[in-house]
Amino acid sequence: MDLIVYHYGMENCKPSHSYGPALRDHFLLHYIISGSGLFELDGKSYNLHANQGFLICPDVITYYEASSKDPWIYTWIGFRGIKAETFLKNIKLDKDNPVFKCKGDIIKKCFEEIRHSSTYKLGYELRLQGYLNILLSELTEQSEAPKAKGDGQKKNYIKKSIQFIETNYSRSMSIESLASYIGLNKNYFSTIFSELLGIPPQEYLIKYRVNKACKLLSNKDLTISEISRSVGYDDPLGFSKIFKQIKGVSPKSYRQALL
DNA sequence: TGTGTGTGAACATTCTGCGG
DNA sequence: CCGCAGAATGTTCACACACA
């Protein structure tokens, strides 16, 4: 199994309530709903409060204790599985970096839904696993490295858009959908694309498709219509127009010159 | 307060699809 | 292949917002 949920729950701790030192044989994610407390692992201490969480890894001795003045209320989920470690690595969580901070209230809601799963009789396990996946997905999103600033960030946008073009050129695609894939406004996307590459995204996409078509034209078993569809043009006539505009000759003439 | 990043609107230009 | 109309895209500018 990729992921198996072992157990889950919520604890409204009394002042100075503690657990451990103890070992676990599975991963255990805690999320602090309110209050504060202390988490210790490998000789390191972490003072944690609401909206933070911590991970306990298998075979690692840990100790945690609620604050005497403002004891925490936390919720947890224990799990393991062949993909558990990979998923946690994506979140950049391990025994050396066991603490995370949550933005918004999606994580809190995931834990609420996980606890609420017990009210389902037939779909219980699927629901539980589903919410664990959503929880890990959200933590992965939130753990994303801070965005680079200036040209570095712009280069990242352009790199991402080029990768998108290279894998989706054979499908119909608008510049707006491309910009939206990157998470930018289409106008701003066009501006930075032209700024960094010297040509607008539309022109880049057309040239990329025409270059791909040139390679396909060397295969005489393919018709012009098949090639036009293969590079994202449903209308062969439109494709021929564009091709002639870029290469100066029609696709047919280009092929004759090749063969 | 200045600067950089990003958005939204308006308008111009280019592209696309269709009929002849 | 041409011309047209509508759609899509590019350009420019004003503005908001975050941050130093």
Side-chain angles (χ1 to χ4, degrees), chain A residues 6-18:
Chain A
Y6 268 29
H7 58 123
Y8 56 89
M10 191 174 97
E11 185 81 38
N12 187 346
C13 296
K14 290 178 180 166
S16 300
H17 169 87
S18 67

Side-chain angles (χ1 to χ4, degrees), chain A residues 2-197:
Chain A
D2 291 347
L3 284 174
I4 308 165
V5 177
Y6 268 29
H7 58 123
Y8 56 89
M10 191 174 97
E11 185 81 38
N12 187 346
C13 296
K14 290 178 180 166
S16 300
H17 169 87
S18 67
Y19 185 89
L23 276 177
R24 307 278 187 172
D25 65 351
H26 54 275
F27 291 102
L28 194 54
L29 262 180
H30 284 74
Y31 168 75
I32 304 162
I33 299 168
S34 66
S36 59
L38 175 78
F39 173 60
E40 286 183 1
L41 170 157
D42 250 4
K44 290 180 202 161
S45 297
Y46 303 88
N47 283 304
L48 305 175
H49 49 79
N51 236 15
Q52 284 186 300
F54 56 94
L55 172 74
I56 294 173
C57 295
D59 308 320
V60 175
I61 297 172
T62 55
Y63 171 81
Y64 43 106
E65 182 184 314
S67 158
S68 57
K69 290 178 183 171
D70 181 23
W72 53 19
I73 298 174
Y74 58 66
T75 179
W76 76 83
I77 181 164
F79 60 94
R80 66 183 308 167
I82 52 174
K83 289 202 174 167
E85 202 163 343
T86 309
F87 289 155
L88 289 166
K89 201 174 275 180
N90 290 340
I91 307 170
K92 301 174 187 73
L93 276 181
D94 55 29
K95 66 182 175 66
D96 297 320
N97 183 36
V99 172
F100 59 92
K101 194 175 178 183
C102 306
K103 298 168 201 157
D105 59 355
I106 297 177
I107 305 287
K108 188 179 174 183
K109 282 185 177 165
C110 280
F111 274 104
E112 281 170 10
E113 291 293 342
I114 285 167
R115 294 197 305 274
H116 187 63
S117 298
S118 58
T119 59
Y120 287 75
K121 287 175 185 167
L122 299 176
Y124 167 72
E125 279 187 27
L126 280 172
R127 194 173 179 87
L128 207 49
Q129 286 199 349
Y131 276 105
L132 175 59
N133 278 290
I134 294 171
L135 172 65
L136 295 175
S137 156
E138 185 59 27
L139 285 170
T140 305
E141 285 296 310
Q142 294 194 8
S143 73
E144 195 182 15
K147 288 180 180 175
K149 291 203 168 182
D151 273 3
Q153 172 65 356
K154 288 181 182 174
K155 280 177 188 167
N156 282 341
Y157 287 147
I158 302 309
K159 196 175 161 188
K160 205 171 165 186
S161 67
I162 289 171
Q163 281 172 350
F164 188 81
I165 289 172
E166 287 174 355
T167 50
N168 294 278
Y169 70 91
S170 59
R171 295 190 286 165
S172 64
M173 154 195 340
S174 69
I175 299 305
E176 192 162 7
S177 67
L178 181 52
S180 131
Y181 167 74
I182 298 160
L184 287 181
N185 171 281
K186 74 178 170 77
N187 303 327
Y188 181 60
F189 169 65
S190 289
T191 303
I192 61 169
F193 197 99
S194 302
E195 185 186 315
L196 266 73
L197 297 186

